[in-house]
Amino acid sequence: MVFIYYTVAGIGLYFAADWILNRIEISRGRRLEHRSLVFFAIILVLAVTSFRVIEYLATR
């Protein structure tokens, strides 16, 4: 069951990171030069945080 949680979280994180990146670009008024690196940084922070929460909740 934990695999399903990680899969659903990963899909959600992808869309959340994309939405956050689009909000950043809209506020700046232009596309970021290294867009893929910024996307990676956003999704990395979100993934580490959410996967730790899932791990904590799964072991309770």
Side-chain angles (χ1 to χ4, degrees), residues 7-24 35 39 42-44 46-47 50:
T7 302
V8 171
I11 293 167
L13 291 175
Y14 175 82
F15 289 110
D18 185 53
W19 183 82
I20 291 168
L21 182 58
N22 285 332
R23 296 293 123 212
I24 292 170
R35 188 174 201 270
F39 179 83
I42 293 169
I43 203 165
L44 178 67
L46 292 175
S50 66

Side-chain angles (χ1 to χ4, degrees), residues 14-40:
Y14 175 82
F15 289 110
D18 185 53
W19 183 82
I20 291 168
L21 182 58
N22 285 332
R23 296 293 123 212
I24 292 170
E25 290 177 337
I26 288 170
S27 70
R28 295 186 78 213
R30 61 184 173 90
R31 298 237 332 142
L32 296 171
E33 184 177 340
H34 300 288
R35 188 174 201 270
S36 59
L37 292 177
V38 176
F39 179 83
F40 176 73

